[in-house]
Amino acid sequence: MINIDNKSKCCGCQACYNICPKDAIEMVADEKGFKYPKVNKDKCINCGLCEKVCPIINNKNIGNEPKAYACINKDEEIRKQSTSGGIFTLLATSIINDGGVVFGACFDDNFGVHHTYCETVEELTKYRSSKYLQSDIGLSYKKAKEFLDQGRKVLFTGTPCQIEALRNYLGKEYDNLYLQDIICHGVPSPLVWEKYKAYREDKANAKTKSMSFRSKKNTTWSSYNIDMEFDNNSSYVINHNDDVYMKAFLKHLSLRESCTDCKFKKNNRLSDITLADFWGIKNVKPELDDGKGTSLVVVNSKKGQELVDRIKDSMICQEVEFEKAISGNPSFNTTSRANPNSDKFFSELEEGQDFVDIVNQCLPKAHITKKIKRLLRKIINR
Ligand SMILES: Cc1cc2nc3c(=O)[nH]c(=O)nc-3n(C[C@H](O)[C@H](O)[C@H](O)COP(=O)(O)OP(=O)(O)OC[C@H]3O[C@@H](n4cnc5c(N)ncnc54)[C@H](O)[C@@H]3O)c2cc1C
Ligand code: SF4
Ligand code: SF4
Ligand code: SF4
């Protein structure tokens, strides 16, 4: 039976929860807001299935020859609503037009993030754009299996650990299954997002009406804004570099422990397609950088190539040498380093201190870091 004695060895994928034949596993949030499995020993029959499907215990490596492309969705409106080049929507539309089902992460009514599925192109709007917190998978793997067994095409999208978890859960290959993961920096805690949202709502004296972690409105793709709208028609729009939630995410204060020891970031992925921001496009294919967002699309399998070929007419797409393509995106194959102040961040948050003050205390001021770097350079050059 599954037993979590080291939290960095559980990514919260919920494969164990989905597989347990006795409903003996419950996913319970810890004090940081991340969910971990808890086994009810009275119900457990020691069948071992939970350990068998765990993608950390059974981390798989494959040999493949990934190909990389720089891609842009020709539909400018969808591209604007998407994080990078809007390729997720093209892949998903292709599956839905074949009578298939698409799984992805979307906001619920309270702006929590969950995995759900949809069967129409109109519903894809809610899955567009990155939500920078861990998505709650719930029983999505079980539901995806039901569709697969009915012979429906399924596109399952998520973080690399969620994709490997689904493969382990299914335990066999399905011709009608398409897997799309992302380059993953890591996932912040849903509790941190909840507290930050409450902080912003308190300042606005209103409830959240819409939220974008990657708004391109009145700015470029690479200098994206956080854009929160409230039900009294006020808004909070700020460059991501100046927002404390994003600082905590990008400087690894709010990440899940498993994200700083990640086994899923690797060149040879178990998904069919990996999507990402094509950071560094201006050096590799400057003609595909118009500041509105370019996707890096990595094709990992024959099935992935077929899917990309099917949507080719709807996008501008050029193949790029794989090593060059990933050179601007270290999160492809390198784990995020743990921030030494992460525990302090979470414990002060638990104590109820001011969100902005906590982040500012836990992150060294940029100008001080620059001064230290200058000083070190002087010492080295002496
Ligand atoms: C937590 C997180 C970290 C990321 N880190 C990086 C990174 O370091 N470098 C990089 O280049 N790209 C990263 N990405 C991927 C990138 O932000 C885009 O998702 C990707 O480029 C696809 O963009 P798109 O324009 O094609 O489609 P979009 O419409 O923007 O993509 C939407 C897709 O993202 C999925 N998604 C959204 N939020 C989540 C979530 N919380 N959990 C799981 N899936 C989610 C949806 O299910 C859907 O499949 C990250 C994404 C997330 C969610
Ligand atoms: S060993 Fe079997 S019954 Fe027990 S928790 Fe794991 S999956 Fe459930
Ligand atoms: S990594 Fe996933 S399968 Fe393994 S224990 Fe954690 S939630 Fe369960
Ligand atoms: S960084 Fe690794 S462990 Fe964390 S969510 Fe991404 S794939 Fe999963």
Side-chain angles (χ1 to χ4, degrees), residues 7-136:
K7 286 190 171 172
S8 73
K9 302 288 176 221
C10 173
C11 61
C13 68
Q14 310 199 22
C16 53
Y17 168 64
N18 276 255
I19 201 84
C20 180
K22 293 290 167 191
D23 289 334
I25 298 179
E26 196 190 346
M27 295 300 298
V28 182
D30 71 354
E31 65 294 344
K32 293 182 178 177
F34 292 111
K35 284 189 173 179
Y36 293 87
K38 188 176 166 208
V39 177
N40 178 337
K41 289 186 181 141
D42 293 336
K43 286 187 178 179
C44 174
I45 53 166
N46 274 314
C47 66
L49 282 174
C50 47
E51 289 178 320
K52 202 171 155 208
V53 297
C54 175
I56 292 199
I57 297 175
N58 298 292
N59 192 239
K60 295 197 173 66
N61 284 304
I62 52 158
N64 59 2
E65 287 175 18
K67 278 185 167 185
Y69 298 88
C71 301
I72 290 174
N73 188 332
K74 286 181 185 168
D75 184 322
E76 284 299 327
E77 190 44 44
I78 288 177
R79 186 180 175 209
K80 197 173 168 189
Q81 292 166 15
S82 308
T83 311
S84 48
I87 304 307
F88 156 74
T89 302
L90 289 178
L91 299 172
T93 303
S94 161
I95 294 293
I96 286 175
N97 287 343
D98 271 359
V101 185
V102 174
F103 284 77
C106 64
F107 284 122
D108 61 22
D109 291 345
N110 293 318
F111 291 90
V113 175
H114 297 265
H115 257 65
T116 60
Y117 66 90
C118 78
E119 298 172 81
T120 66
V121 171
E122 291 71 34
E123 288 171 281
L124 290 176
T125 320
K126 61 183 176 193
Y127 301 102
R128 271 201 278 283
S129 204
S130 293
K131 290 98 188 164
Y132 289 137
L133 57 140
Q134 183 158 38
S135 173
D136 194 335

Side-chain angles (χ1 to χ4, degrees), residues 169-361:
Y169 169 81
L170 293 172
K172 66 170 191 168
E173 297 292 321
Y174 281 86
D175 287 345
N176 46 337
L177 173 65
Y178 297 82
L179 298 168
Q180 177 244 292
D181 66 357
I182 48 177
I183 292 189
C184 183
H185 178 80
V187 284
S189 149
L191 180 65
V192 173
W193 164 238
E194 206 180 295
K195 294 210 171 194
Y196 185 58
K197 186 171 71 72
Y199 175 85
R200 283 285 151 224
E201 288 178 344
D202 193 42
K203 295 270 168 220
N205 198 18
K207 287 280 171 205
T208 307
K209 196 169 71 181
S210 72
M211 170 64 199
S212 172
F213 289 98
R214 292 289 300 253
S215 174
K216 296 175 180 172
K217 220 192 291 171
N218 302 324
T219 183
T220 58
W221 155 58
S222 54
S223 62
Y224 59 91
N225 288 334
I226 304 305
D227 191 334
M228 263 177 120
E229 289 179 357
F230 302 96
D231 63 4
N232 60 358
N233 289 330
S234 67
S235 60
Y236 168 77
V237 182
I238 191 167
N239 182 279
H240 68 280
N241 285 318
D242 299 321
D243 176 74
V244 281
Y245 182 84
M246 289 304 290
K247 281 189 201 177
F249 167 44
L250 296 170
K251 299 286 180 194
H252 315 167
L253 279 180
S254 55
L255 296 186
R256 192 177 174 104
E257 266 178 59
S258 57
C259 300
T260 55
D261 184 19
C262 176
K263 303 284 177 281
F264 308 98
K265 297 177 180 197
K266 51 195 170 195
N267 285 2
N268 302 100
R269 302 250 180 154
L270 282 98
S271 62
D272 297 303
I273 293 176
T274 302
L275 293 184
D277 291 287
F278 205 132
W279 301 134
I281 187 69
K282 62 177 182 295
N283 306 320
V284 184
K285 291 253 176 223
E287 67 278 20
L288 289 188
D289 181 23
D290 61 1
K292 295 183 196 167
T294 308
S295 288
L296 166 59
V297 177
V298 178
V299 167
N300 304 312
S301 71
K302 215 170 124 211
K303 231 196 259 180
Q305 190 64 56
E306 278 163 20
L307 202 50
V308 166
D309 289 345
R310 247 196 280 157
I311 61 168
K312 255 188 176 152
D313 289 345
S314 308
M315 57 182 184
I316 301 163
C317 176
Q318 287 189 31
E319 188 167 352
V320 181
E321 202 187 306
F322 177 71
E323 289 301 337
K324 265 192 195 164
I326 62 165
S327 62
N329 213 326
S331 289
F332 190 74
N333 51 20
T334 316
T335 196
S336 299
R337 226 177 314 137
N339 188 312
N341 281 339
S342 180
D343 282 343
K344 176 175 151 77
F345 167 76
F346 277 106
S347 68
E348 289 187 0
L349 202 65
E350 208 184 334
E351 283 165 22
Q353 294 195 37
D354 182 89
F355 199 103
V356 175
D357 288 349
I358 302 170
V359 176
N360 287 336
Q361 275 165 28

